Amino acid sequence: MSPATGPVVWAGSKPFPRAARTQLAKSEQRATLNRVTHQIRRKRAVVVGERDDWEELRRAGEQIKTRVLRHLDIYLEQAERSLVAAGVTVHWATDADHANRIVHALVKETGETEIVKIKSMVTAEIGLNEFLAQRGITAVETDLAELIVQLADDLPSHIVVPAIHRNRREIREIFAEHLPGAPDTLTDEPSELARQARRHLRERFLRAKVAVSGANFVVADTGTLCIVESEGNGRMCLTLPQRLISVVGIEKVIPTFADLEVFLQLLPRSSTGERMNPYTSLWTGVTPGDGPQDLHVVFLDNGRTDALADPVGRQALRCIRCSACLNSCPVYEKTGGHAYGSVYPGPIGAILTPQLRGMDDPVDRALPFASSLCGACYEVCPVRINIPQVLTHLRAKAVEHDRVHGRHHLERLVFRAVAKAFDDDDLYATGLGLGLPVAHRVAGSDGIHWLPLAGAGWTKSRDLPRPPQRSFRDWWSDQGLDAAGGGSIS
Ligand code: SF4
């Protein structure tokens, strides 16, 4: 097992409650997020509603992925055999640093100092661009939204739409300032912005000798890799360069080609609200005279086997990165992705990041609490990951981690005292008898608006009603009723 290394969590990130406060103050960003997530949500609901067998498809997706995770060792070895037979060189990386070193060595071998990249979560997870940049190699993102993020030296905030937090006026400004050759007359018309991006990228595609990709799926029995995308930039990367390096999380393997039938219906409907992806690329090894002649696959662990060892948490590895849980989450909709401090934002990030990295960092320990547990994410997840269940499971782990490391003494003492009082009838009655009259007097006629210390969090956004002068049980006994609620017979 190997815990995740590298920037799954961005350097300098703050725990979610503090980071969220900063993001919530950005009213323009909140408006953009609200508009876009609701738009995608509506589109998804329409295309999902067209399928009478949607629930069966979800169950099929869940079962295929569950089977893969149960027999991951077998499917990975089968995938390796199929890939090698098709002419692919297979590498195994235990963590981010290991994967980065493999990719760097493969690029260095070619003597190239610029590569093109297909949008890939896993290469963001390992911080590949930064690793290569430190060694004199420029990785050019070719997905439009990723390009916007890269040009602005920004961080992605959504799995499918990384620049979701940017509106078109901001994108025009980024292009005007950072896109080589952008005209002075550039407008914020989407077609004009896309034209400028295309012009810029075409030059890079035509001169690139090396491309790096991820993969949505790897078919074990045929050694086929599959990438779905919307713009066609991925297709350019998969056909023009001579060397193609695909970095793939070990959980991306599926048993058979026929299993793609399930996922290629679940994924586009859940992610962009489309019936099918505009571009679905499948490639099986080297085809002489057609596409890259030198193919490499780097299988990455980076904490995945740690997650696999957790019987409750391992279901997070079923994720197909569709983003439906982000788009439906009332917390993500307000805070946006940067508040999660991680490459993986939203509900899936809240359960995946702490499992990949462990609970030692306060940023990871805070993530399972970044949810209202409303369950909207579970309802939309195409592979039925019970995100609320994993969240509560990880919350318990975070609390246990704090206990073992001697944190939150005061909170634990308070809860211990409360537990003792609840356990002892006389103590409870005495506490109420003494406390209520005081609280009643202190509160005043319109309730309590301010509490000190831990109570301050409550009164900052809510009022406490004025406590009654006497407890319910005192009133009850005055009515001549016994503890079971029956009338007194004496
Ligand atoms: S957890 Fe489910 S809904 Fe969220 S990104 Fe993964 S597959 Fe999609």
Side-chain angles (χ1 to χ4, degrees):
M1 293 193 216
S2 177
T5 59
V8 182
V9 165
W10 297 308
S13 294
K14 296 188 179 68
F16 185 84
R18 283 168 61 198
R21 210 165 295 143
T22 310
Q23 298 302 322
L24 286 169
K26 300 177 180 173
S27 53
E28 199 172 339
Q29 174 178 294
R30 276 211 325 270
T32 308
L33 282 167
N34 187 289
R35 183 171 42 76
V36 181
T37 53
H38 281 253
Q39 239 168 33
I40 306 175
R41 241 190 257 182
R42 277 193 297 273
K43 280 178 70 182
R44 177 201 164 273
V46 170
V47 294
V48 163
E50 292 171 355
R51 298 294 308 236
D52 294 338
D53 59 350
W54 184 249
E55 282 311 309
E56 282 85 350
L57 275 171
R58 286 179 79 209
R59 284 188 190 280
E62 173 191 11
Q63 285 164 8
I64 293 167
K65 284 281 186 174
T66 302
R67 189 169 78 241
V68 166
L69 294 176
R70 197 174 296 140
H71 306 292
L72 191 56
D73 52 342
I74 293 168
Y75 286 120
L76 281 171
E77 284 180 5
Q78 188 189 8
E80 181 181 35
R81 282 194 301 276
S82 305
L83 285 161
V84 170
V88 180
T89 307
V90 175
H91 310 257
W92 297 92
T94 52
D95 59 21
D97 186 56
H98 192 184
N100 284 333
R101 280 188 282 111
I102 292 170
V103 177
H104 174 245
L106 289 170
V107 179
K108 200 172 162 205
E109 232 172 51
T110 65
E112 293 296 308
T113 55
E114 183 180 280
I115 62 164
V116 284
K117 267 189 77 210
I118 307 177
K119 178 180 170 336
S120 134
M121 293 307 296
V122 80
T123 55
E125 175 188 321
I126 62 176
L128 179 66
N129 291 8
E130 295 75 13
F131 189 94
L132 293 177
Q134 284 160 11
R135 287 152 185 82
I137 296 167
T138 306
V140 179
E141 292 290 350
T142 63
D143 172 84
L144 179 55
E146 282 287 4
L147 178 67
I148 293 164
V149 169
Q150 187 176 47
L151 288 172
D153 199 15
D154 196 359
L155 294 168
S157 65
H158 190 275
I159 292 176
V160 174
V161 197
I164 194 171
H165 56 291
R166 297 286 194 178
N167 58 36
R168 53 199 256 197
R169 180 182 50 75
E170 292 174 297
I171 295 168
R172 194 211 78 85
E173 282 164 17
I174 292 166
F175 276 18
E177 201 175 329
H178 302 290
L179 190 75
D184 296 339
T185 54
L186 185 67
T187 70
D188 64 3
E189 271 307 305
S191 58
E192 168 68 2
L193 295 170
R195 190 166 38 247
Q196 289 304 324
R198 194 179 306 124
R199 174 192 54 73
H200 169 76
L201 290 173
R202 279 285 151 96
E203 291 168 23
R204 270 89 195 151
F205 286 133
L206 290 172
R207 67 183 185 221
K209 300 282 185 293
V210 183
V212 170
S213 80
N216 293 95
F217 307 101
V218 179
V219 182
D221 73 345
T222 59
T224 305
L225 280 90
C226 173
I227 279 193
V228 296
E229 41 131 3
S230 299
E231 298 168 3
N233 296 336
R235 177 81 46 98
M236 302 283 255
C237 293
L238 297 172
T239 47
L240 293 175
Q242 278 301 297
R243 174 168 276 189
L244 173 61
I245 307 161
S246 303
V247 185
V248 186
I250 51 175
E251 81 285 16
K252 294 287 176 185
V253 67
I254 57 172
T256 68
F257 204 84
D259 295 324
L260 279 175
E261 178 191 332
V262 172
F263 294 109
L264 293 182
Q265 295 185 73
L266 287 173
L267 183 52
R269 283 182 156 82
S270 302
S271 67
T272 47
E274 292 168 302
R275 293 182 187 90
M276 63 183 289
N277 285 96
Y279 294 88
T280 300
S281 299
L282 300 158
W283 68 102
T284 310
V286 177
T287 307
D290 182 12
Q293 297 298 296
D294 182 17
L295 296 173
H296 296 261
V297 167
V298 183
F299 279 118
L300 176 75
D301 182 341
N302 208 34
R304 285 161 175 76
T305 47
D306 285 347
L308 189 62
D310 184 324
V312 178
R314 69 171 61 128
Q315 56 187 305
L317 298 176
R318 295 206 297 262
C319 177
I320 56 172
R321 310 281 189 266
C322 71
S323 292
C325 57
L326 278 67
N327 300 330
S328 64
C329 176
V331 176
Y332 176 88
E333 176 194 310
K334 299 280 183 299
T335 64
H338 292 164
Y340 296 80
S342 165
V343 169
Y344 299 109
I348 181 59
I351 61 169
L352 188 60
T353 306
Q355 292 202 78
L356 293 180
R357 284 170 36 95
M359 292 280 184
D360 286 340
D361 192 304
V363 173
D364 298 300
R365 284 200 302 282
L367 282 173
F369 297 88
S371 167
S372 65
L373 298 181
C374 70
C377 47
Y378 183 27
E379 274 173 35
V380 296
C381 178
V383 283
R384 293 173 42 85
I385 298 171
N386 190 338
I387 295 176
Q389 184 195 31
V390 183
L391 284 168
T392 48
H393 171 70
L394 293 176
R395 284 180 186 189
K397 279 192 160 184
V399 170
E400 179 59 15
H401 190 283
D402 282 341
R403 191 190 66 75
V404 169
H405 290 83
R407 292 189 206 97
H408 303 312
H409 274 311
L410 183 62
E411 187 181 293
R412 274 208 311 285
L413 278 176
V414 170
F415 276 106
R416 217 172 284 159
V418 170
K420 181 139 187 56
F422 279 11
D423 209 30
D424 183 330
D425 207 33
D426 291 340
L427 187 62
Y428 183 73
T430 311
L432 278 184
L434 291 173
L436 275 180
V438 176
H440 181 79
R441 209 164 312 129
V442 170
S445 58
D446 59 343
I448 297 172
H449 309 297
W450 176 86
L451 284 173
L453 304 172
W458 176 274
T459 48
K460 205 179 276 175
S461 52
R462 310 169 189 85
D463 292 333
L464 269 182
R466 189 184 201 188
Q469 227 164 345
R470 319 176 51 219
S471 70
F472 174 75
R473 46 172 68 201
D474 283 348
W475 172 86
W476 191 255
S477 88
D478 284 355
Q479 308 305 309
L481 299 167
D482 64 21
S488 169
I489 53 167
S490 60

